[in-house]
Amino acid sequence: MVTKSSKQDMSELLIEEKLITERQLQKAIDQQKKTGEKLEKVLIQLNFLTEKDITEVMGKQMGVAFVDLDNQEIDPEMIKTIPEHLARRYKVVPVGQIGSKLSVAMADPLNVLAIDDIRLITGFDIQPMIATEAGITKVIDRNFGVTELAEVEETVKTLEASDTGSALEAIQEEEEISVDKLKELVDEAPIVKVVNLIISQAINEKASDIHVEPDTKQVRVRYRIDGVLHDVMNPPKHIQAPMISRVKIMASMDIAERRIPQDGKIHLKHDNKEFDLRVSTIPTVHGEKAVLRILDKSSVMLGLDKLGIYPDIKEKLEAMICKPYGMILVTGPTGSGKSTTLYSCLNKINTGVQNIITIEDPVEYQLPGINQVQVNEKAGLTFANALRSFLRQDPDIIMVGEIRDAETARIAIEAALTGHLVLSTLHTNDAPSAVNRLIDMGIEPFLIASALIGVEAQRLARLICPNCKEPYSPPQEAVRKFGLGMYAGEEINFYKGRGCDACKQTGYKGRTGIHELMMLTDRIRGLTLQKASSTEIKKSALEEGMRTLQDDGIRKVLDGITSIEETLRVIYMEGE
């Protein structure tokens, strides 16, 4: 950001370089007082200077060299030293390399965060230089092609220069934008295009969620890819309201209501594939925030062999789901793949001779041959009400999307005790904690001991990118802290992703499950009847051969499937 004193310095430099006259400077200052824009921008608008002139002088002011990218030949292979998403985010391109030093042209060479990120990704010492933003964008587009996000930026620029952009800026300070104004602005082609491009890029990037988050001076758009949020763009603040309203219109939500949370759904086709987007909005102090969960109906990984379950655990799980009655629970935090595991179990046992009914909120993927019902609380269709009705539908297998309250838990357990196989999910940190969670919900221990067959707990961890996977030897201290003291002093190979274009320099591509399976043995049923703590139940389960999430994570690290850092990120590791 240019301070008041640095603006004065800039003015003096411009006059010293004989690029403008005192009179031109005064005219620009007068214009700036009216518009509030940066002095540099006003000088360009008045045609007193070009962007190149300003950038060259800014370089002198900052003490960094200016590079004219229009007259600079750059090796295409060097350009790709910095991944495209970072180049576009920070407006940077590499222009030369000598030994371990990489010269980088930047729109803002004082951006320390950008320099640190580039140093970390490339492994080079960074020599910042300054170049025009237009020149940098041209080099990036020429070498990487114009992506949807680049097109979004161009569309936003076009929008800002249009009458619609002026109208948006004019209403920006209004606390309540009228619905009529919003509808008029939302129907404008640029806004429609911006939202469509953000969604299509997210699908192309295989993102699971899109976050559109308002801030004080801008809007932040982030994608969740392989469980981790990534910043992708920052549109200007004044297109926030029409952007969110466009999303709400697509999801059949009320654009006039901005004070309470809302939920909706968008159905669309992209590259001949069908997608459902679950949309949720909440009011924040800076305006409405929207989250779009992307459900790709064609790519759901159904099948227990596709979930990263080791054969010994899979064999036990398959034996459990083939029981004629009882309850099986899948536990874990939100976004840990519980629904996919349940769908895979149903897919395994759906032979066409049973009556299988599900109640879900919402139905994420439609499974052939299975009766799926969606919760509709407005109409009075809750998990509990649906379960009561299911018992009159002659079911063999019932799947309950989530046990949220005591009433649902009680009916589900009663169903499991009256000859039905019931599958459901619960929010607990590990498998042994599920028993105490049900007791805390008011379910009698003898009912739990009689109905529960087993509990599977899980997390999702990122897979090491196969394209840039490489072995390395971590420090022995790290090996001990990770719970691998038995290997201390031994030469064991661990693996990590170096970072490449295929994984966008993250070192990871795709995800796998980390699993823990606890079967309700006679010993654990006895502890349940005694209302034993989860620690006691876990101790007994371990003595009877249960592998913990930590054990399964370590196993996957040793097999080179994921990394130590990723396992530590998704699992709480108990010290030795």
Side-chain angles (χ1 to χ4, degrees), residues 2 68 112 204 301 310 312 364 435:
V2 180
D68 184 357
V112 178
N204 291 340
M301 299 269 290
Y310 281 111
D312 54 331
E364 293 188 16
V435 171

Side-chain angles (χ1 to χ4, degrees), residues 536-549:
E536 291 175 272
I537 293 171
K538 182 175 183 177
K539 184 182 175 185
S540 292
L542 288 171
E543 287 171 0
E544 295 191 322
M546 180 185 83
R547 286 181 180 271
T548 64
L549 287 167

Side-chain angles (χ1 to χ4, degrees), residues 8-67:
Q8 182 62 41
D9 293 341
M10 169 70 78
S11 307
E12 289 173 2
L13 274 170
L14 289 169
I15 290 169
E16 273 178 32
E17 296 288 326
K18 298 184 177 176
L19 291 169
I20 57 170
T21 63
E22 291 276 3
R23 188 175 175 183
Q24 287 174 324
L25 175 61
Q26 191 55 54
K27 188 173 180 182
I29 290 170
D30 292 342
Q31 178 76 6
Q32 184 201 18
K33 286 175 183 174
K34 294 176 187 174
T35 63
E37 291 177 320
K38 286 184 177 180
L39 181 62
E40 301 93 292
K41 192 173 179 181
V42 174
L43 287 164
I44 293 169
Q45 286 172 350
L46 293 171
N47 292 319
F48 293 158
L49 292 172
T50 64
E51 186 186 358
K52 182 180 168 184
D53 294 330
I54 290 281
T55 307
E56 199 167 351
V57 172
M58 282 176 71
K60 287 180 181 177
Q61 183 192 26
M62 295 174 184
V64 296
F66 168 76
V67 56

